[in-house]
């Protein structure tokens, strides 16, 4: 390993590596910040060009796009309540609330620091213990996936806002919406109403853009801003500390950042789970254990830190099953697999033996990408400051047009634009009546994995539900679920008792 | 008064949701979707949709019940979600503009329909300065062209002009 590392260090003297890191990170940050566009799209387009490049610069170019795009999706989430990727919906919850209080810069900077720390953490885990983590990840079968998702659904309690019941109703709606399309086991069309575009189910990104971005624009348009003289796009606080991350902010966010990095790394290493689940589970865990005001959902910096760290920690971890076993963990890894094959590198157990120095150079390149997008992210934050001074009345129409083109670009389909419009109205009324779009999105994303896991498990066990309590890893998730649900009920009861006590002492004083 | 409005709103929404989810649940139950894979191991394709609507039904009933306990409590101003007609008119107008926009895209093409929609939206949002409207609209179209069509090879719809 030391020899390979030494060889890898010498390969890093190649200036081409630095150029591709800069180009890839810049492209990723730019693309990821536009709702509807993802790093995967850029990677898919750039792959053919990498055929003419050497292996290491080619792979580093692609991974730098992916990493920086994952980070920059948090920028529109904070500024526009428009997640750049589904995972950033968790960042939008507290990030946008902070932006509305004049703390957009603080939120974006914390998002950047948390992303870099989470990403670096998972890269180090990849370099040092990839093999071990891959062997654990591969022990996940259908019962384990099903119980992991049941545990992940407890996050809904964390994002439900003031009304848990309404949050759960939103989740129920999300569960139903995810069943639209072809049944995953039998291929039977469900709720397609004869519309061929529904066979593939409702597209997630137009739904996300509608529920968050369009709904927010409609909400703002419905307010009296039109009557006001000149409304800035975002308020800017006079307090200097609101534009930066102070020592105290960092101190209280460090624990959730590291916890979320661990959660994101573990979940990212499991094929099929992805950054969205990691971001929301990290957010939920941070909320559950936080002792610091303000409440989550109303602008708590820990919420931004946890979701961004959890989200970005999947970037390196996603590569663990790919590099060690040749199993792509998600779409990005699958696209990278094709890049590896194009370069004549077959991911799997023999990759380290046959091409060890290339892989270790790639590993060092991963760490350098984090440094690059830290500096480029800082620059992007500085440039985004200019947006604050622009009038809201100019920004909102532009956002509307970009929402439409972003939704169209996914599948080159106007149907997706229609989906975006419908969910925009749904999202507008959901927020108006106290329901939670975030709960709907979480349930929508988790349902397919849950359904597949439960149904496959029951087929394996010949219909016997005891399969869920005979697998040790599944039992661990069941216990964790019970623990989290009990803790949530206990905390809700305690908060209610505190409120009643405060009310009765207030009445007593009067 | 505020508490009463909130209670009424929750009761109405809860009733609508409970009724709709109950009806849909029974419709699914009696459909072919439910009868598939009967007698085989595993769950039918209808299981998860039925579960979702059952969940919504019971939670809606719970919402109605809980709203009666809330009626005596003082609610913060933001929690009172009374329908505001002016707000609805603004929202409805913008939504209508977007629908017309989507319809026009296939007829006149993306660029002309987007340009026209931008001008309309600026007018709705009372942006009056042509020094802002024209350059911003043209620049946005140019950026979309270079970025999406040239960069990402996303072909945007063409109309009878271009």
């Amino acid at each position: 390993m030391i020899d390979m590392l030494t060889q890898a260090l010498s390969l890093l003297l190649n200036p081409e590596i630095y150029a591709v890191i800069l180009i890839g990170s810049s492209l990723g940050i730019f693309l990821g910040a536009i709702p509807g566009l993802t790093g995967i799209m850029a990677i898919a387009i750039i792959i053919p060009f990498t055929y003419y490049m050497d292996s290491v610069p080619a792979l580093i170019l692609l991974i730098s796009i992916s990493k920086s795009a994952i980070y920059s999706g948090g920028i529109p989430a904070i500024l526009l309540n428009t997640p750049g990727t589904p995972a950033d919906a968790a960042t939008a919850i507290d990030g946008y609330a902070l932006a509305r209080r004049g703390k957009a810069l603080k939120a974006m900077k914390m998002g950047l620091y948390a992303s870099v720390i989470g990403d670096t953490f998972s890269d180090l885990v990849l370099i040092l213990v990839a093999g071990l983590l891959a062997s654990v990840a591969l022990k996940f079968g259908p019962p384990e996936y099903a119980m992991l998702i049941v545990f992940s659904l407890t996050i809904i309690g964390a994002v439900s806002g003031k009304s848990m019941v309404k949050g759960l109703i939103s989740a129920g709606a999300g569960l139903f919406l995810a069943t639209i399309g072809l049944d995953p086991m039998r291929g039977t069309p469900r709720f397609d109403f004869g519309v061929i575009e529904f066979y593939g189910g409702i597209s997630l990104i137009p739904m996300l853009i509608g529920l968050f971005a369009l709904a927010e624009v409609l909400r703002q348009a419905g307010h009296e801003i039109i009557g006001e003289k000149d409304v800035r796009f975002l308020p800017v606080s006079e307090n200097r500390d609101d534009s930066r991350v102070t020592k105290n902010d960092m101190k209280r966010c460090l624990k959730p950042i590291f916890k979320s990095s661990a959660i994101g790394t573990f979940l990212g290493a499991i094929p099929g789970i992805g950054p969205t689940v990691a971001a929301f589970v990290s957010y939920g865990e941070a909320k559950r254990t936080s002792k610091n005001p303000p409440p989550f959902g109303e602008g708590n910096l820990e919420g931004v830190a946890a979701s961004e760290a959890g989200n970005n920690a999947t970037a390196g971890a996603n590569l663990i099953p790919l590099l060690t076993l040749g199993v792509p963990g998600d779409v990005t890894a699958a696209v990278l697999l094709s890049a590896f094959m194009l370069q004549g590198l077959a991911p799997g157990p023999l990759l380290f033996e046959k091409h060890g120095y290339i892989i270790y150079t790639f590993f060092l390149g991963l760490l350098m990408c984090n440094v690059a997008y830290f500096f480029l992210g800082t620059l992007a934050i500085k440039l985004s400051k200019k947006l604050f001074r622009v009038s809201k009345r100019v920004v909102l129409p532009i956002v509307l047009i970009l929402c439409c083109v972003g939704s169209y670009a996914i599948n080159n389909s106007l149907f997706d634009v229609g989906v975006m419009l419908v969910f925009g109205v749904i999202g507008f009324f959901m927020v108006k009546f106290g329901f939670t779009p975030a709960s709907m999105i979480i349930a929508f994303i988790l349902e397919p994995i849950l359904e597949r896991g439960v149904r496959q498990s029951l087929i394996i066990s010949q219909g016997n539900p005891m399969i869920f309590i005979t697998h040790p890893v599944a039992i661990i998730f069941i216990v964790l679920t019970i623990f989290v649900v009990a803790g949530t009920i206990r905390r809700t009861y305690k908060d209610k008792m505190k409120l009643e006590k405060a009310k009765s002492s207030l009445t007593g004083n009067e | 008064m505020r508490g009463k409005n909130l209670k009424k709103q929750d009761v109405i929404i809860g009733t609508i949701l409970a009724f709709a989810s109950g009806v849909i649940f029974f419709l699914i139950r009696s459909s072919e979707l439910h009868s598939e894979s009967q007698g085989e191991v595993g769950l039918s394709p209808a299981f998860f949709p039925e579960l979702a609507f059952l969940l919504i039904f019971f939670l809606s009933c719970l919402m109605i019940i809980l709203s009666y306990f809330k009626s005596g409590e003082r609610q913060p101003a933001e929690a009172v979600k009374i329908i505001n007609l002016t707000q609805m008119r603004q929202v409805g107008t913008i939504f209508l503009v977007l629908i017309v926009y989507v319809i026009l895209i296939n007829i006149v093409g993306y660029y002309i329909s987007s340009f026209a929609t931008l001008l309309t939206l600026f007018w709705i949002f009372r942006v009056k300065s042509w020094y802002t409207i024209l350059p911003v609209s043209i620049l946005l179209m140019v950026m979309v062209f270079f970025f999406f069509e040239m960069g990402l090879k996303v072909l945007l719809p063409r109309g009878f002009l271009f």
Side-chain angles (χ1 to χ4, degrees), chain A residues 148-295:
Chain A
L148 168 61
I149 298 306
V150 167
F151 168 65
S152 305
L153 284 168
T154 58
I155 318 154
I156 288 165
V159 302
S160 287
K162 291 190 168 70
S163 171
M164 183 81 75
V165 174
K166 288 182 178 177
L168 289 170
I169 292 176
S170 308
L175 277 178
F176 161 66
L177 290 169
T179 61
I180 294 175
L182 296 179
D183 173 57
M185 305 298 289
R186 300 172 63 82
T188 317
R190 292 190 294 193
F191 311 107
D192 59 303
F193 305 112
V195 177
I196 204 160
E197 284 88 351
F198 276 142
Y199 274 39
I202 296 177
S203 199
L204 173 61
I205 300 223
M207 180 181 170
L208 195 70
I209 294 175
L211 278 178
F212 286 85
L214 181 58
E216 179 59 22
V217 172
L218 291 175
R219 192 194 68 79
Q220 293 206 31
H223 277 175
E224 297 309 315
I225 57 151
I226 290 162
E228 293 179 39
K229 252 194 164 172
D230 182 19
V231 185
R232 274 188 181 183
F233 171 55
L234 276 175
V236 177
S237 169
E238 295 298 324
N239 185 351
R240 214 174 134 252
D241 280 350
D242 288 342
S243 304
R244 60 195 189 100
V245 173
T246 61
K247 264 190 207 160
N248 280 339
D249 291 332
M250 205 62 204
K251 220 168 135 182
R252 73 179 168 92
C253 290
L254 263 181
K255 194 171 161 201
I257 287 174
F258 280 108
K259 229 198 223 178
S260 304
S261 302
I263 292 171
T265 303
F266 176 68
L267 291 177
I270 303 170
I273 296 300
T276 312
V277 177
F280 276 104
V281 171
S282 303
Y283 180 86
E285 181 57 22
K287 182 180 177 180
R288 200 181 63 78
T289 53
S290 171
K291 292 175 175 55
N292 294 311

Side-chain angles (χ1 to χ4, degrees), chain B residues 1-52:
Chain B
M1 181 64 181
R2 286 175 178 164
K4 260 193 171 170
N5 280 328
L6 194 65
K7 169 188 161 177
K8 194 174 157 191
Q9 174 189 284
D10 280 356
V11 169
I12 293 171
I13 294 170
T15 309
I16 294 171
L17 284 175
F19 178 73
S21 56
V23 166
I24 297 172
F25 174 81
F26 282 108
L27 282 174
I28 299 173
R29 202 99 183 137
S30 55
S31 70
E32 277 177 19
L33 209 58
H34 176 76
S35 55
E36 274 198 40
S37 78
Q38 289 290 326
E40 294 177 23
V41 295
L43 303 168
S44 79
F47 178 79
F48 274 85
E50 285 173 358
L51 177 68

Side-chain angles (χ1 to χ4, degrees), chain A residues 30 166 188 190 393 432, chain B residues 10 36 45 81 87 125:
Chain A
F30 186 57
K166 288 182 178 177
T188 317
R190 292 190 294 193
R393 289 183 245 160
K432 197 158 186 49
Chain B
D10 280 356
E36 274 198 40
K81 309 273 193 286
Q87 190 186 35
F125 281 85

Side-chain angles (χ1 to χ4, degrees), chain A residues 24 31 43-44 48 119 166 171 198 205 207 298 309 333 373 376 381 387 389 421 440 444 473 493 502 508:
Chain A
L31 271 177
I43 293 172
D119 217 331
K166 288 182 178 177
F198 276 142
I205 300 223
M207 180 181 170
E298 293 177 23
Y373 86 70
L376 289 169
I381 290 170
L387 198 60
R389 293 197 191 93
L421 290 180
M440 182 191 265
F444 182 84
V473 177
Y493 180 72

Side-chain angles (χ1 to χ4, degrees), chain A residues 30-31 34 37 41-42 45 165-166 168-169 171-173 175-176 179 183 186 188-191 214 217-219 221-227 393-394 396-398 400-402 404-406 408-409 412 414 417-418 421-422 425 428-429 431-435 447 450-451 454-455 458-459 462-463 503, chain B residues 9-10 13 17 28 33 36-37 40-46 48-49 51-53 55-56 59-60 62-63 66 70 73 76 81-84 86-88 90-91 94-95 98-99 101-102 105-106 110 114 117-118 121-122 124-127 132 136 140-141 144 147-148 151-157:
Chain A
F30 186 57
L31 271 177
I34 298 176
L37 300 181
M41 285 173 83
I45 290 166
V165 174
K166 288 182 178 177
L168 289 170
I169 292 176
L175 277 178
F176 161 66
T179 61
D183 173 57
R186 300 172 63 82
T188 317
R190 292 190 294 193
F191 311 107
L214 181 58
V217 172
L218 291 175
R219 192 194 68 79
H223 277 175
E224 297 309 315
I225 57 151
I226 290 162
R393 289 183 245 160
V394 174
L396 294 181
I398 295 172
L400 280 171
I401 297 297
L402 287 176
C404 292
V405 75
Y408 178 84
N412 275 31
L414 277 176
V417 182
L421 290 180
V422 167
V425 173
F428 173 78
F429 284 108
V431 172
K432 197 158 186 49
F433 295 126
F435 292 88
E447 193 278 343
L450 174 66
E451 183 170 8
V454 168
R455 292 172 72 178
L458 290 174
I459 290 172
Q462 299 285 307
K503 268 191 209 165
Chain B
Q9 174 189 284
D10 280 356
I13 294 170
L17 284 175
I28 299 173
L33 209 58
E36 274 198 40
S37 78
E40 294 177 23
V41 295
L43 303 168
S44 79
F48 274 85
L51 177 68
F53 283 111
L55 189 69
I56 295 172
L59 289 167
S60 306
L62 185 62
M63 192 167 95
L66 287 176
K70 261 198 234 167
E73 293 172 13
K81 309 273 193 286
I82 304 168
I83 302 280
N84 180 317
T86 315
Q87 190 186 35
M88 288 299 115
Q90 297 280 18
V91 169
I94 291 169
F95 187 68
L98 291 175
I99 296 212
Y101 168 48
V102 173
I105 284 178
N106 266 335
Y110 172 80
S114 298
T117 304
L118 262 175
L121 288 171
F122 281 136
I124 292 173
F125 281 85
R126 293 184 205 168
V127 178
T132 306
V136 166
L140 184 64
M141 294 300 103
V144 164
F147 189 68
F148 283 87
L152 295 175
K153 309 294 180 209
V154 174
L155 287 176
L156 296 169

Side-chain angles (χ1 to χ4, degrees), chain A residues 39-47 59 62 322 328 330-342:
Chain A
I40 300 167
M41 285 173 83
I43 293 172
I45 290 166
I46 300 279
I47 276 183
L59 295 171
L62 297 173
L322 175 67
D330 67 352
V331 181
T332 310
V335 175
L336 285 170
L337 173 62
S338 61
F340 273 90
M341 306 295 279
L342 206 60

